[in-house]
Amino acid sequence: MYRRSFKDTRSSLGSPNPNFSKPMVALRFLRALSLVRRSGLGACSPSYRARGIRRAAYACMAASAGPRRAWSRALLRKIRRRPGRGLRRPRAVIWRHRPVGGGDRLEVALRRLVPGGGCMEYCRLLEEAADYVKCLAMQVRLMQTIVDSASHV
Amino acid sequence: MGGKHRRIGGEVGWRVGSSSFATAFRPFPSRSRFKMSSRRNRVSEEEINELISKLQSLLPETRRRGAGRASAAKLLKETCSYIRSLNREVDDLSDRLSGLMATLDSNSAEAEIIRSLLPS
């Protein structure tokens, strides 16, 4: 499901990301939830299900933000990475190195929190952090809405 | 004897070769190793201040400490703690959702959400 949605956004690479609107993210997330339920995770322990839902939330958030953002690409890469699954492309390790020798503690902390923030310039890091915060806040509001509507029914 | 010389020569040759090989092979130019302070000066403080104020506008009211721009360090700290709290909320909400999964009905939930999201 995640792969399909990522291909949808990839087809709109030229346009400035039409998928990023709250109803679209909501529908995508609901689709993911129904998939989680159907896939038999509903029979597992609640903590395992919660982990699946969390992964779905981050994946939907990243897929809706589109491939233009470094944090969404890094997040999707992290979610889809599974040990020993298919052939691993030999990645040059060197691009992951931080271009900075250190930096102050706050900058390092921010780099750790924002996905893909390890090897960005400082300006880029601030931009990506702003976008990431915006999307995260929206995802949290969306999930709160779903939980509220589910618990009131 | 000859072998030893050859080995020593080879060793020196390898060392020399390795440094030039490393610099030739390094994909990033050496300026990426400069200190962050010089790069910040080059990129201009104004842009950074602009980005930081944009970050400040995204933080919720309770974290913004009223009017007036706080220092960049304080804002970065607030941003970090805000991101951590948002991650914690996502975890908490996904826990609650997994508990409510049985009672969640997709159709009614979708209808509810669409109703709440549409401006009309």
Side-chain angles (χ1 to χ4, degrees), chain A residues 31-86:
Chain A
R31 238 192 299 159
L33 278 183
S34 62
L35 265 177
V36 166
R37 197 168 15 149
R38 257 184 274 149
S39 72
L41 270 179
C44 297
S45 66
S47 62
Y48 194 70
R49 226 178 337 177
R51 238 186 301 156
I53 292 179
R54 207 184 64 173
R55 270 175 96 233
Y58 281 114
C60 291
M61 189 175 78
S64 303
R68 286 180 149 249
R69 284 289 176 187
W71 67 261
S72 64
R73 291 194 299 265
L75 195 51
L76 281 172
R77 238 180 295 146
K78 192 169 74 161
I79 289 177
R80 287 184 189 155
R81 197 193 322 153
R82 272 194 200 141
R85 186 181 182 177

Side-chain angles (χ1 to χ4, degrees), chain A residues 136-153:
Chain A
L136 247 190
M138 200 188 64
Q139 181 73 28
V140 163
R141 280 199 298 270
L142 168 68
M143 288 173 82
Q144 187 72 51
T145 312
I146 296 179
V147 166
D148 286 342
S149 79
S151 49
H152 283 162
V153 162

Side-chain angles (χ1 to χ4, degrees), chain A residues 16-139:
Chain A
N17 200 5
N19 279 343
F20 188 68
S21 59
K22 196 161 177 193
M24 294 305 301
V25 183
L27 288 176
R28 198 192 288 263
F29 185 54
L30 283 173
R31 238 192 299 159
L33 278 183
S34 62
L35 265 177
V36 166
R37 197 168 15 149
R38 257 184 274 149
S39 72
L41 270 179
C44 297
S45 66
S47 62
Y48 194 70
R49 226 178 337 177
R51 238 186 301 156
I53 292 179
R54 207 184 64 173
R55 270 175 96 233
Y58 281 114
C60 291
M61 189 175 78
S64 303
R68 286 180 149 249
R69 284 289 176 187
W71 67 261
S72 64
R73 291 194 299 265
L75 195 51
L76 281 172
R77 238 180 295 146
K78 192 169 74 161
I79 289 177
R80 287 184 189 155
R81 197 193 322 153
R82 272 194 200 141
R85 186 181 182 177
L87 276 175
R88 283 271 185 94
R89 266 205 328 260
R91 286 181 196 274
V93 181
I94 211 159
W95 71 271
R96 287 224 175 99
H97 286 173
R98 268 186 254 145
V100 199
D104 51 317
R105 207 162 30 114
L106 290 172
E107 191 187 316
V108 167
L110 191 62
R111 281 181 193 273
R112 275 206 208 109
L113 284 172
V114 173
C119 46
M120 277 184 220
E121 289 186 1
Y122 191 60
C123 271
R124 190 88 190 283
L125 176 69
L126 293 179
E127 274 187 52
E128 297 282 328
D131 198 60
Y132 183 57
V133 160
K134 199 165 53 162
C135 295
L136 247 190
M138 200 188 64
Q139 181 73 28

